[in-house]
Every structure is written in structure tokens, then in C-alpha cells.
Amino acid sequence: MAGNMLANYVQVYVMLPLDVVSVDNKFEKGDEIRAQLKKLTEAGVDGVMIDVWWGLVEGKGPKAYDWSAYKQVFDLVHEAGLKLQAIMSFHQCGGNVGDVVNIPIPQWVRDVGATDPDIFYTNRGGTRNIEYLTLGVDDQPLFHGRTAVQMYADYMASFRENMKKFLDAGTIVDIEVGLGPAGEMRYPSYPQSQGWVFPGIGEFICYDKYLEADFKAAAAKAGHPEWELPDDAGEYNDTPEKTQFFKDNGTYLTEKGKFFLSWYSNKLIKHGDKILDEANKVFLGCRVQLAIKISGIHWWYRVPNHAAELTAGYYNLDDRDGYRTIARMLTRHHASMNFTCAEMRDSEQSEEAKSAPEELVQQVC
């Protein structure tokens, strides 16, 4: 009987407050957090999860890492006998559901964007999104000689070096690698900060000069130098049938549309692949599970075009499994997937959204 109970045991982790480390990279809530951790231990919780904000730790300048505040938090978690899941948070806190504090990406990185705004994700109207660097600069040495991927790799290497004590002790059990806005591997296709309202289809976000050049090169290589990025996919709050791209027999079903959607989703998967490659090198020999977060985009799931998934970068249709390719990439890195809508019920969703979280979770899991 005890064996059966252990086999069915589900570990419980509790998210620490987003601002457990303050916006000036200080840990000022020692007594409060110690008391909360004690309660969690008494309740039988296994551990806690924490965002380790890039904007705080490397906020002062390139490679000027300051881990002191996080070390103090980790010490308390270790003392409480709890496990720790650490999120490498390369995105901005602020502008998404549940964000109660504002922690931008490092100022010196944003300063690069003052002269080259194309380092940020850009929609067709030219609006920039400063939550996370565009994956178009993954391999561009624009940041004091480093590429975006090198910055993320250096950050993780510094984390390993500075948190050796907690890694060796087995306190840190999971490293979730942030790969986009809200830490999720997706494009920022539905930003509340820019007026998106549920259940808008969102927009394709690939109009910075780096991704545009990449698409043009890919189209030319495929024998279609005349192809451009979509100009018929509507705006954040449109419904699919209002657009030429997503309507019945729309652009998404044409050769050009399929080529674009494959390119758009493959760029996202390659982005995850590259950064997980670096994470695997950095944490080689550590007893940690690598993970990424995938957004559960359940609205417009019940219509053939799956518009909201497509704009986010998940090329999923009724006859095309867009999550299998992501799962294959994760298998290569022995990484797991954290999915964001597992607790939702179809019956709780509005009819107009054509939402199906239960079917989506069934498909992905």
C-alpha cells in the first residue's frame, strides 16, 4: 500500500513572490520569508520556485553579476529543508497577467536598443516590445561584443559558479530556462501592455530587421524571393474571420502561408534548442532537471485555423501537431515541459473564444 502511495506521489512546489528580491537587488524580507517557509515546511510542501531576474543580477553592467540577495534567499530555503526550482528569468517582469512589480531587462541592454530598437520584438505596425530580446539577435554580437545567446549562457554559468553550495547539496533540483515573454517559449503575440484583450487572436511578431532579413533569405533560398512577411493577419484583438490570413481557405492554407508558418515556428524551436544546448553544457554534472515553459494557448483552439496558437509561434492545426516538434527538441536535451493551462476547464471559458483547454492539455500531454 505504501509503495502505491509513493508511486502516485505528486510533488508540490509553491511560487515565491515575484519581488522576494527587491527592484534594487536587495533581500529585505528575511523574517517574513523565514516565517512563510516554516509554514510551508509544516504543511508538507516539497519546495519553492523562484524567478532569478536577469535585470537585477546583471543590472549594473556586462558580466557585473551580483548574486548576494539571491544567496540569502537560497540560504533560508536550504535551512528550511525545502527544495528549490530556479527560473532563469531573461524577461521583464511587468505587463503580463499576475505581474505586480516592474523589473525590466538590464538597463545597459536597453541602452543598446536606444540606438538599435530592432533588438526588440516588433509587430507589423512597428511597435516594439521590450519584455524580451527578439530571437533575431540570438547570434548577433551587439551587446558589448556578445550575442544574446552568449549573454544567457554567461549568466547561467555565473549562477552555477555562485550557487555551487546549493547545487552540490541537492537543494536546487530544477532549472527552468526562460525563453521568451513571461519566461515562456513563444512570441509576445498577445501583450496586455499594448492593448491586447482576451480572446484576441494576437499578431505575428517578427518585423524587426533581423527576423525580416532572415525570412527574406529563407524565402529566396526556397525559390521565392518575392515573398514578404504577412500583411493580412489583422491586429491583436481581431477575430480570425476578420482577417484574410486566418479566414476559411485563408492565406494560412496557401504554399506561401505554410512556408511562413513553418519558418516562424522553427525559429522559435531553434531558439529554445540553442539556449538549452548552453544550459546543458553549463549544468553538466549537476543533479538538476532542465525545464522550459510553454504557454497553454487555448482560445481559438476549436476553429480550424488555431489563430492564437499560430501567432504565438505554435504551428498547431487539426491535422498538424505543433507540439510534437517541441517535445522532440526537449527530448534531445533531457528537458521537461511546464505547461500553463493544465488546471483549466472548458466549461469555465466563454463560448465566443472557441476555447478548449482540456483538449489542448490532452494533446500536449
Side-chain angles (χ1 to χ4, degrees):
M1 184 68 180
N4 286 342
M5 284 176 71
L6 277 175
N8 295 322
Y9 182 71
V10 176
Q11 294 193 330
V12 176
Y13 283 77
V14 174
M15 190 81 192
L16 286 177
L18 294 172
D19 60 347
V20 65
V21 171
S22 70
V23 291
D24 53 357
N25 200 22
K26 299 277 191 295
F27 180 48
E28 295 157 342
K29 298 181 173 181
D31 293 341
E32 187 185 323
I33 296 297
R34 185 181 278 109
Q36 288 173 353
L37 293 174
K38 186 170 183 286
K39 283 181 184 168
L40 292 177
T41 308
E42 288 166 356
V45 164
D46 294 277
V48 293
M49 194 174 203
I50 185 170
D51 283 286
V52 184
W53 297 107
W54 179 36
L56 298 183
V57 174
E58 200 178 354
K60 292 290 197 298
K63 296 191 181 180
Y65 305 105
D66 179 0
W67 298 100
S68 54
Y70 280 101
K71 281 182 178 173
Q72 291 171 275
V73 180
F74 288 16
D75 267 326
L76 288 188
V77 174
H78 181 69
E79 282 168 24
L82 293 165
K83 301 293 185 192
L84 191 58
Q85 297 176 328
I87 309 169
M88 304 290 102
S89 296
F90 298 118
H91 61 287
Q92 166 185 296
C93 181
N96 280 296
V97 178
D99 286 351
V100 292
V101 63
N102 190 55
I103 302 168
I105 64 174
Q107 181 62 53
W108 59 271
V109 175
R110 285 180 289 143
D111 288 344
V112 175
T115 52
D116 183 2
D118 286 277
I119 67 168
F120 296 116
Y121 278 122
T122 307
N123 70 8
R124 195 171 71 85
T127 305
R128 314 290 182 179
N129 188 311
I130 60 169
E131 289 178 65
Y132 185 85
L133 296 173
T134 168
L135 57 81
V137 298
D138 276 357
D139 303 316
Q140 303 282 347
L142 303 169
F143 307 96
H144 299 259
R146 290 188 293 166
T147 67
V149 170
Q150 285 169 337
M151 288 194 293
Y152 305 146
D154 289 345
Y155 182 83
M156 291 188 284
S158 179
F159 176 88
R160 174 175 178 168
E161 194 181 311
N162 282 272
M163 301 305 182
K164 185 177 187 305
K165 164 184 161 184
F166 306 106
L167 288 161
D168 290 352
T171 302
I172 299 172
V173 290
D174 274 22
I175 302 287
E176 185 184 289
V177 183
L179 295 171
E184 297 163 350
M185 192 182 86
R186 63 173 174 86
Y187 293 91
S189 54
Y190 53 99
Q192 286 189 316
S193 58
Q194 292 179 16
W196 173 83
V197 179
F198 180 84
I201 57 173
E203 292 186 32
F204 292 120
I205 310 289
C206 53
Y207 296 84
D208 62 83
K209 69 183 181 188
Y210 299 104
L211 280 176
E212 197 154 2
D214 190 285
F215 176 77
K216 286 301 288 178
K221 193 175 172 186
H224 287 281
E226 75 283 4
W227 281 350
E228 303 283 350
L229 292 170
D231 61 359
D232 60 353
E235 296 181 348
Y236 291 131
N237 294 317
D238 281 340
T239 53
E241 64 276 7
K242 276 190 181 170
T243 74
Q244 180 62 39
F245 194 93
F246 294 114
K247 72 177 191 181
D248 289 350
N249 297 319
T251 310
Y252 82 100
L253 294 171
T254 65
E255 186 193 358
K256 177 183 169 184
K258 289 175 179 175
F259 177 83
F260 165 74
L261 290 167
S262 295
W263 170 84
Y264 188 70
S265 60
N266 284 340
K267 289 301 291 183
L268 189 64
I269 293 169
K270 282 177 191 161
H271 172 68
D273 196 29
K274 282 176 195 169
I275 297 169
L276 281 173
D277 246 348
E278 298 299 333
N280 256 317
K281 286 180 215 163
V282 165
F283 294 106
L284 189 67
C286 295
R287 290 170 298 163
V288 292
Q289 173 67 48
L290 290 181
I292 70 166
K293 187 158 56 160
I294 296 292
S295 186
I297 302 197
H298 52 86
W299 54 107
W300 304 112
Y301 187 85
R302 287 189 196 275
V303 292
N305 55 69
H306 291 243
E309 288 167 278
L310 265 49
T311 57
Y314 306 143
Y315 190 4
N316 188 53
L317 298 172
D318 296 348
D319 60 352
R320 186 187 194 283
D321 188 343
Y323 301 99
R324 186 163 293 172
T325 43
I326 297 171
R328 272 203 293 265
M329 181 271 285
L330 291 176
T331 303
R332 196 170 83 73
H333 299 287
H334 307 289
S336 57
M337 179 196 292
N338 294 332
F339 198 58
T340 66
C341 72
E343 79 291 351
M344 292 184 175
R345 296 282 168 268
D346 289 1
S347 57
E348 296 162 0
Q349 309 303 319
S350 68
E351 180 54 40
E352 59 161 345
K354 304 292 186 220
S355 180
E358 291 176 53
E359 286 84 341
L360 175 59
V361 168
Q362 200 170 10
Q363 179 192 346
V364 173
C365 300

